[in-house]
Amino acid sequence: MDRGGCQMSGGGGGGGGDGGSDSSGMITLEDLESFSEDQLPDSGNGSLEEGETMEEDEGSDRLLHYWQDVARGHQVEVSNEMAEPIQQLTSNNNGRSNREHIPFTLLSQKEKCGELLYDKRHYEKGHWACIKMREDTYEQSICYGFMKIMRYICKQNSLGDYLGMSLPVLTVVRTNENHSAISQEVTVAYYLPTEHQAQPPQPQDSEIVIEVWPAAIVYTRSFTGPTNELTIINQINGMAELLESPGVCVNDSFIVAGYTNPAHSQRHNEIWFLERR
């Protein structure tokens, strides 16, 4: 399988083991979602000053090298062919760099002692670009899947154009009956920005499928920090305890929504429970 330019480095290392193992040796979706030139190290220290510019080729090379350095820390190698998609995803793109948030209607909120426990939201029917991945670990599946989606966003589509980024990027995970383990197969999903909803550009990669997701009611709770098998299981079980009627939700399939760049010390994520239709 062509893994979209994302390959595990080293000789079979990178950790295996159970869902509770340390995932610091793997790259996650958030580690590849959104770096910008503003976050690049300047001569190894600090960052570029606001407003500082660089030649396009130099900027592309520096972005690629930055991503490669970050990825190596997770025992993943980002190939040179990812330079153009990385540049497109992290640059201004002729004023189209703003990230569109998926629209929803807030139906209600559950609070306790002034603390927001979860939202109940309604999401409309929409087109999503989806890819199913099944690798040795959850983290590998996320990496390989998002690299492919990223290339679709950045010109490997029937328009041959940058499509624009939307947030959150979703990962559909499946669990066993008692919510103690996650399946190795995940679905990475990207919401087509509003301008492409009516006529979604078709992917060049046959593994990416454009799907119409029906309208859905979602119970969602925010959490911060990295997403790995252990934290996801903990979030699923924690959310199930908070819901007044967990039986109204799908019990074996959940969604992890990622919003925030890993450069932030506190990443913004959500766990989503889908109400049964």
Side-chain angles (χ1 to χ4, degrees):
M1 177 187 297
D2 173 15
R3 290 170 170 165
C6 181
Q7 302 175 2
M8 297 299 296
S9 63
D18 58 30
S21 62
D22 179 10
S23 68
S24 61
M26 301 294 176
I27 197 161
T28 63
L29 172 62
E30 292 82 1
D31 287 319
L32 292 177
E33 192 273 326
S34 170
F35 290 108
S36 71
E37 293 176 6
D38 291 340
Q39 296 157 342
L40 288 173
D42 185 9
S43 301
N45 294 294
S47 61
L48 293 172
E49 295 295 327
E50 185 175 358
E52 181 179 350
T53 59
M54 64 177 77
E55 293 297 328
E56 183 175 350
D57 289 345
E58 179 188 357
S60 178
D61 287 344
R62 292 187 66 184
L63 279 168
L64 175 63
H65 293 156
Y66 181 56
W67 278 50
Q68 289 174 332
D69 287 344
V70 171
R72 268 185 216 103
H74 297 271
Q75 299 181 10
V76 170
E77 183 175 332
V78 178
S79 69
N80 291 340
E81 66 186 26
M82 290 302 300
E84 184 176 0
I86 290 169
Q87 175 69 18
Q88 291 170 338
L89 192 65
T90 56
S91 66
N92 185 53
N93 281 293
N94 297 319
R96 294 178 295 167
S97 61
N98 290 338
R99 287 167 167 77
E100 177 179 330
H101 283 250
I102 303 169
F104 65 86
T105 300
L106 180 63
L107 301 178
S108 64
Q109 293 183 315
K110 177 69 174 179
E111 296 185 356
K112 183 178 181 180
C113 299
E115 177 189 358
L116 178 61
L117 300 181
Y118 59 82
D119 287 347
K120 182 179 180 181
R121 305 173 184 166
H122 178 267
Y123 285 86
E124 297 291 345
K125 179 175 73 171
H127 287 92
W128 295 74
C130 306
I131 185 166
K132 290 184 178 180
M133 302 297 295
R134 183 183 179 88
E135 299 294 336
D136 292 339
T137 69
Y138 169 82
E139 290 86 357
Q140 288 179 25
S141 296
I142 295 299
C143 172
Y144 299 144
F146 184 69
M147 294 288 270
K148 285 175 171 284
I149 291 290
M150 184 176 164
R151 295 168 80 179
Y152 164 70
I153 296 169
C154 301
K155 293 191 177 182
Q156 291 195 7
N157 56 71
S158 56
L159 294 181
D161 195 11
Y162 174 72
L163 302 182
M165 191 64 199
S166 65
L167 292 176
V169 174
L170 305 186
T171 306
V172 182
V173 299
R174 296 159 184 85
T175 69
N176 57 3
E177 186 174 353
N178 63 359
H179 301 164
S180 62
I182 293 176
S183 171
Q184 290 177 326
E185 181 177 273
V186 303
T187 299
V188 179
Y190 156 76
Y191 179 82
L192 273 296
T194 302
E195 65 177 303
H196 300 300
Q197 278 291 317
Q199 294 182 307
Q202 295 302 301
Q204 295 178 7
D205 187 335
S206 62
E207 293 185 45
I208 298 175
V209 178
I210 304 299
E211 298 181 0
V212 178
W213 286 13
I217 294 177
V218 175
Y219 298 81
T220 172
R221 176 174 169 83
S222 293
F223 66 99
T224 57
T227 54
N228 54 49
E229 290 151 314
L230 178 59
T231 59
I232 292 170
I233 286 295
N234 288 341
Q235 291 298 325
I236 289 172
N237 289 319
M239 181 67 162
E241 292 177 0
L242 293 174
L243 290 174
E244 294 177 343
S245 303
V248 305
C249 296
V250 176
N251 190 48
D252 60 354
S253 181
F254 307 90
I255 291 175
V256 180
Y259 289 84
T260 311
N261 177 330
H264 294 274
S265 59
Q266 296 295 317
R267 304 179 193 172
H268 176 196
N269 313 300
E270 292 175 343
I271 191 73
W272 289 10
F273 279 44
L274 299 178
E275 187 170 285
R276 297 180 189 274
R277 293 195 297 272

